[in-house]
Amino acid sequence: MDVDLIVKNARVITMDAGRPFAQAVAVRAGRIAVVGGAEVAALAGPRTRVVDAGGRTLLPGFVESHLHLVLGGSELVQLQIGGVMGFEALRAAFLDYAAKNPDRALLMAQGAAYEILGEPVTRADLDRVIADRPIAMMAPDHHTVWANTMALEKAGLLHGAQMPHGHEVVMGPDGTATGELREFEAFGPVLALGGEAHLQLGIATGGEPDPWPDAATFAADLEKVVAGLAHCAAHGITTMVNMDGNRYTCALLAALEEQGRLTARVRVPFHMKPHMELSELDRASAMAAEFDGDWVRSGFVKMFMDGVVDSRTAYMLHDYPGAPGHRADPLFPPERFNAICTEIDRRGLQIAVHAIGDAAVRQTIDGYEAAGRANGLRDMRHRIEHIELIDRADVPRLGSLGITASVQPPHPPGVMDFPMSTMDHVFHRARWRDAYLWKTLKDHGAAVAYASDWPVTDVSVLRGIQAAMTRVPYDGAGDERLSLMETLHAYTAGGAWAGHWDDITGTLRVGMAADMVLLDGDIEAADPLTIGAMGIALTVAGGRVTYAAEGFA
């Protein structure tokens, strides 16, 4: 038996119930050929690459169940201000970036905390940073942008603009924009100043670039995707569910596959927006038929039911703290949402809905239930993304309806990079017990898939695992941590199942794709507080090494 790659002397966690642990894996022609013990090393031939793992943990390649690959890749060259607090620090960061980028049409910063200045940010604040060039900064959740006056003027937003429901150019008492732009359609014109509006369409409008990008733009976009893929490969990711996109996204990925430069399996949705007619779903079906390979797939529809808690656009069953009468609104009317879900489900397509507030979560479950009543309950694996707050009455409904909880260990405030202060601002103390439930949902039968939502948070899976394993219960709340093995499952086999990739990847067993990640340590023996710093030694996708730590192997 000629094999291409052997990883020996490893602590192999296979995620295969038939053989949970092993010591070595052999790969041939991009597939797992053998899973076994010390005897596997004897299969090495003259052209076999043999990696001695030295007792490190070998896992199925990580499945990133919710990210934004193209946006993340594009943002790698933008100003990163996560952790920057206060006006002087903000100004210094922007001035340094401006000096290094004299020709950029828009100076865009990422990771701006909502409380970065200790009070609501205005265009006047950003004019004091830089007034003679368009500048803007994006909140970590990617649902709010703040822009200076010049950026607003150039984008045609200074005097306001008509927006779809749920998207807002915030206006001041003087009749001009304050500088705060809520949701994608509101800040899209500002992002367009940077020349990347066509890359935002998948999340902003659900449309396609018109005109279709020319060869030079297409080539430049490919490099942004490649940068994002390389960043993910360095974190052990071999499969991902891209939570925005359109046919153009698929075309970019297919081109990279043809060029031999696609280093992860990617699923791309059709984005259904509230204004669209049901007939638009013909485009979703067409994407599903055209892109159904082992590396590039569509086959699902993404929708947004609400916004985010920080801007109080998440749709709640109860008023926000200190805001009588304010609960936000759903982006889809209930009956219309039910009809859309029923039609998507009838077409045999999976549904993924962003739902953060407990009212949004309930309405999403209702839509899936309506689809099941109309079409019969099938193995569709419809998903709810985020579920930051849920009413206890709705918890068992996920399991009973076969709904996947697609949740993000880095997201709960106080766990990783988001400040604990958010909890007091947006959740009543009595509801903390219902926030960011993972174990409770799993215990009630829901399938669980873990992710980062990069670039909303750091894409590092190991940091995510540490966050998942070290999370401290909120006051009055239960312990929502899963065990280490359950956590690893949610980042591998669980994510593969939730993304309909389980026929190809997610487990290390004979015949499956050789998608693997070798950690730079033994994760079972590690102190959970050190997992985030462990590092990745080797990433293998389809039998090909896509990342190797410097000096390793």
Side-chain angles (χ1 to χ4, degrees), residues 12-267:
V12 184
I13 303 175
T14 67
M15 293 299 153
D16 174 16
R19 181 172 188 166
F21 301 100
Q23 292 77 49
V25 172
V27 174
R28 183 178 66 243
R31 297 273 170 176
I32 303 289
V34 182
V35 178
E39 76 283 355
V40 175
L43 299 173
R47 289 186 294 276
T48 305
R49 179 173 182 174
V50 180
V51 175
D52 187 337
R56 293 172 175 85
T57 297
L58 184 73
L59 289 160
F62 290 135
V63 179
E64 227 301 343
S65 289
H66 185 128
L67 54 51
H68 302 275
L69 173 65
V70 184
L71 304 185
S74 301
E75 289 178 16
L76 290 171
V77 298
Q78 294 175 354
L79 174 61
Q80 305 298 317
I81 56 173
V84 171
M85 296 300 289
F87 178 81
E88 292 305 326
L90 176 65
R91 185 170 185 269
F94 258 113
L95 290 177
D96 178 65
Y97 183 74
K100 292 173 180 173
N101 294 275
D103 299 323
R104 280 194 174 270
L106 172 69
L107 298 173
M108 189 72 203
Q110 295 292 337
Y114 277 88
E115 60 275 17
I116 190 166
L117 298 184
E119 57 189 13
V121 177
T122 68
R123 61 184 173 90
D125 295 320
L126 294 181
D127 289 346
R128 289 172 54 217
V129 173
I130 294 175
D132 58 356
R133 293 178 67 181
I135 73 169
M137 60 186 195
M138 178 91 74
D141 58 29
H142 286 62
H143 286 257
T144 302
V145 163
W146 298 271
N148 72 348
T149 301
M150 181 173 279
L152 293 167
E153 282 179 334
K154 286 183 175 291
L157 300 175
L158 185 59
H159 299 286
Q162 284 292 112
M163 287 289 146
H165 176 66
H167 303 250
E168 181 184 6
V169 177
V170 179
M171 301 300 288
D174 65 351
T176 64
T178 66
E180 182 173 335
L181 307 165
R182 296 177 181 167
E183 301 298 333
F184 308 103
E185 300 233 15
F187 54 69
V190 168
L191 302 186
L193 300 177
E196 295 181 341
H198 66 290
L199 295 179
Q200 301 280 339
L201 292 173
I203 199 164
T205 69
E208 300 289 343
D210 184 18
W212 194 261
D214 59 24
T217 302
F218 191 86
D221 290 344
L222 288 180
E223 298 313 312
K224 293 166 187 172
V225 181
V226 167
L229 288 164
H231 186 67
C232 292
H235 291 286
I237 295 165
T238 59
T239 303
M240 56 186 73
V241 181
N242 197 55
M243 274 295 165
D244 68 87
N246 48 15
R247 190 181 173 279
Y248 183 65
T249 310
C250 293
L252 290 169
L253 294 166
L256 290 176
E257 182 184 4
E258 192 175 328
Q259 295 170 11
R261 295 202 291 160
L262 186 59
T263 55
R265 305 174 197 281
V266 190
R267 282 196 86 195

Side-chain angles (χ1 to χ4, degrees), residues 266-301:
V266 190
R267 282 196 86 195
V268 178
F270 172 80
H271 195 142
M272 185 74 176
K273 304 293 278 189
H275 67 270
M276 291 179 177
E277 298 297 327
L278 285 179
S279 59
E280 294 269 15
L281 291 170
D282 288 346
R283 293 164 54 205
S285 294
M287 280 174 61
E290 184 178 2
F291 301 100
D292 189 29
D294 283 0
W295 289 89
V296 183
R297 288 184 179 180
S298 184
F300 82 108
V301 176

